[in-house]
Amino acid sequence: MADLSSNFIGIKSPNPFWLASAPPTDKEYNVRRAYEAGWGGVVWKTLGEEGPPVVNVNGPRYGAIWGADRRLLGLNNIELITDRPLEVNLREMKSVKRDYPDRALVASIMVPCTEEAWKAILPLVEDTGADGVELNFGCPHGMSERGMGSAVGQVPEYIEMVTRWVKQYTRMPCIVKLTPNITDIRKPAMAAHAGGADAVSLINTINSITSVDLDLFAPEPTIDGKGAHGGYCGPAVKPIALNMVAEIARSPEMRGLPISGIGGVTTWKDAAEFMALGAGNVQVCTAAMTYGFKVVQEMISGLSQYLDEKEIALSDLIGRAVPNVSDWQHLNLNYISKARIDQDACISCGRCYAACEDTSHQAIDMSEDRVFTVKDDECVACNLCVNVCPIEGCITMERMEAGAIDPRTGRVVQAEPADWTTHPNNPMALKAAE
Ligand SMILES: Cc1cc2nc3c(=O)[nH]c(=O)nc-3n(C[C@H](O)[C@H](O)[C@H](O)COP(=O)(O)O)c2cc1C
């Protein structure tokens, strides 16, 4: 079995699967059971400053989006940071770390944006034996209204300032957790980098209203007739998270900045995708909340098997897809493919035909006895038929060989790649050539 042991910014864990800061990591009872189930590390549910405890709502805290099979696709929450006293959390963290020295234990922290507040909490956390801190600049509800969480995470100058304080007042490695509720994720990541962060983690939850109760006329979850926006997470946010991770990983200004990937990781494959795009490890919340702690077993065995089959080490996977993340103008315009329908697999449902005929390129023919075939002289290989087909693998894209004639354009397919930057139709390219 492939060796999954991980060293993320000096924090060692037997595997790269950590539980993200959230209810699964809110107390000793959970964290002990999580470690027993196999999790390599946890980021403890966010700690706040000493003082009157945080008060959560006592109505429903979660909203959700489901697939047709009622599988949970997206989860929305209006919870705050931990509502347990700081002293209790610290005591429990110390006890857990003492008994599980080989597992990672990182403390998530969110205190007011003052130097005194950060200076005060860091030694208390350090005293627990925690391996590092994660600065929660991401929480989009409840805390941001109090000038914390995403209220800080949306202002790069604050991120840099607080990160500097943290680096000044503790020797523990510092991970800055980023909010996705921002236009360009590179800005806050660069600020964290400039402030001396050892790593960034992303994404925290996305501002959202998942649904509206059409009898009460209020957003759900509804508390006594009212609702508020919450934070969205789970499988539905994975594409957004992957893109943001890739944007940071391929940014020349942040080359080498370690990334902890978060957002919708449910299977080993999700984790491997985050890692291929540059994440040194992953954090998981919704999958554990949906399926329980033992989901990590599938992640461990699946990733090991994949690495064995590929004959690569975990370290070889990290960042392996980054050089292939490009910008549109650099894609090969001489790459021509056509849709192919496997007639043995086709169930004649006609979805490909309806989609292509009504909304795309009228490139699928339907015979009287409902046999569907691709018209190569119309097909632009948009992939819509593949995506709407209910049978996986029934429709595929086949690349045309160099030298063949594309029946759509009448042009010979070129072997040499060509991109938009040098394309004759690009006015900028013409200007450059002049
Ligand atoms: C109920 C709930 C509470 C959360 N609380 C926190 C928190 O206290 N601190 C934090 O940094 N993130 C918190 N998160 C965000 C998660 O740590 C994670 O960033 C997010 O859920 C995306 O990961 P996922 O798609 O695997 O759930 C919370 C998420 C949920 C669902």
Side-chain angles (χ1 to χ4, degrees):
M1 291 284 267
D3 176 18
L4 291 188
S5 57
S6 154
N7 183 342
F8 185 74
I9 58 169
I11 305 175
K12 294 195 178 120
S13 55
N15 62 57
F17 304 114
W18 292 7
L19 281 170
S21 170
T25 63
D26 195 20
K27 55 169 92 74
E28 181 170 359
Y29 174 77
N30 290 8
V31 173
R32 281 182 185 274
R33 291 181 65 246
Y35 285 155
E36 289 301 322
W39 290 92
V42 307
V43 182
W44 202 274
K45 170 84 180 167
T46 305
L47 311 172
E49 65 179 346
E50 240 164 323
V54 159
V55 180
N56 270 300
V57 293
N58 281 293
R61 298 176 186 183
Y62 307 137
I65 297 288
W66 300 270
D69 58 358
R70 182 79 191 176
R71 198 169 288 202
L72 190 95
L73 297 182
L75 185 69
N76 166 283
N77 86 87
I78 53 169
E79 260 184 28
L80 306 177
I81 62 172
T82 183
D83 52 14
R84 306 168 77 234
L86 177 63
E87 165 269 316
V88 173
N89 277 307
L90 294 172
R91 185 170 7 101
E92 292 186 359
M93 284 165 59
K94 193 170 192 167
S95 144
V96 173
K97 185 64 206 178
R98 190 191 52 220
D99 291 351
Y100 293 88
D102 68 322
R103 308 301 169 100
L105 193 152
V106 171
S108 170
I109 311 179
M110 182 195 289
V111 293
C113 205
T114 65
E115 191 168 349
E116 299 73 55
W118 286 95
K119 190 177 172 184
I121 196 164
L122 288 166
L124 305 179
V125 170
E126 206 166 312
D127 188 50
T128 65
D131 299 298
V133 287
E134 184 180 79
L135 317 189
N136 180 353
F137 294 150
C139 194
H141 50 263
M143 308 312 292
S144 51
E145 292 82 346
R146 303 167 202 197
M148 292 181 260
S150 61
V152 178
Q154 287 165 339
V155 186
E157 293 77 14
Y158 291 171
I159 295 180
E160 184 176 339
M161 177 178 76
V162 176
T163 309
R164 273 189 205 287
W165 292 335
V166 171
K167 289 304 293 176
Q168 186 182 341
Y169 294 118
T170 181
R171 289 188 319 275
M172 288 182 287
C174 164
I175 305 169
V176 172
K177 185 168 182 180
L178 303 177
T179 175
N181 299 312
I182 188 150
T183 318
D184 183 350
I185 197 67
R186 290 170 301 182
K187 300 273 159 57
M190 257 170 333
H193 193 35
D198 297 283
V200 288
S201 58
L202 66 155
I203 60 173
N204 208 312
T205 54
I206 303 177
N207 277 333
S208 66
I209 291 178
T210 37
S211 53
V212 176
D213 184 316
L214 289 177
D215 294 315
L216 295 173
F217 295 103
E220 294 175 310
T222 313
I223 313 284
D224 197 18
K226 298 258 188 277
H229 76 263
Y232 199 43
C233 53
V237 309
K238 186 184 114 184
I240 297 163
L242 282 180
N243 176 54
M244 290 185 164
V245 164
E247 283 301 291
I248 295 171
R250 73 193 185 104
S251 168
E253 294 92 343
M254 287 174 279
R255 191 145 292 152
L257 177 66
I259 301 169
S260 182
I262 318 171
V265 174
T266 310
T267 65
W268 73 267
K269 195 164 171 289
D270 299 324
E273 289 170 14
F274 271 95
M275 290 178 167
L277 284 176
N281 72 2
V282 293
Q283 298 184 31
V284 178
C285 167
T286 303
M289 289 180 74
T290 311
Y291 303 110
F293 286 145
K294 288 204 173 135
V295 280
V296 74
Q297 289 298 333
E298 183 274 351
M299 295 179 194
I300 292 170
S301 57
L303 186 62
S304 308
Q305 194 176 333
Y306 169 76
L307 294 175
D308 284 346
E309 280 166 14
K310 286 265 169 222
E311 297 182 0
I312 56 172
L314 183 61
S315 54
D316 298 328
L317 171 64
I318 296 166
R320 203 161 173 130
V322 175
N324 293 328
V325 183
S326 190
D327 290 319
W328 186 91
Q329 69 267 28
H330 301 306
L331 299 179
N332 179 8
L333 294 175
N334 281 341
Y335 181 97
I336 311 286
S337 55
K338 302 286 173 191
R340 292 286 168 258
I341 301 173
D342 177 347
Q343 298 301 338
D344 293 334
C346 178
I347 57 168
S348 297
C349 68
R351 275 199 204 165
C352 60
Y353 174 78
C356 189
E357 190 67 15
D358 290 357
T359 69
S360 288
H361 298 270
Q362 297 74 48
I364 293 182
D365 189 53
M366 175 170 67
S367 71
E368 272 181 8
D369 52 349
R370 293 182 71 80
V371 174
F372 298 91
T373 43
V374 176
K375 294 187 255 175
D376 283 358
D377 52 347
E378 300 293 350
C379 179
V380 301
C382 71
N383 215 41
L384 182 63
C385 55
V386 174
N387 293 329
V388 301
C389 177
I391 307 295
E392 198 180 339
C394 174
I395 311 182
T396 48
M397 287 293 156
E398 191 177 281
R399 182 177 190 173
M400 294 186 74
E401 298 288 337
I405 294 180
D406 178 0
R408 191 175 73 83
T409 58
R411 285 198 216 109
V412 178
V413 177
Q414 302 295 319
E416 284 300 302
D419 66 30
W420 176 245
T421 52
T422 54
H423 197 277
N425 288 9
N426 178 355
M428 300 306 285
L430 284 181
K431 246 194 187 143
E434 271 166 18

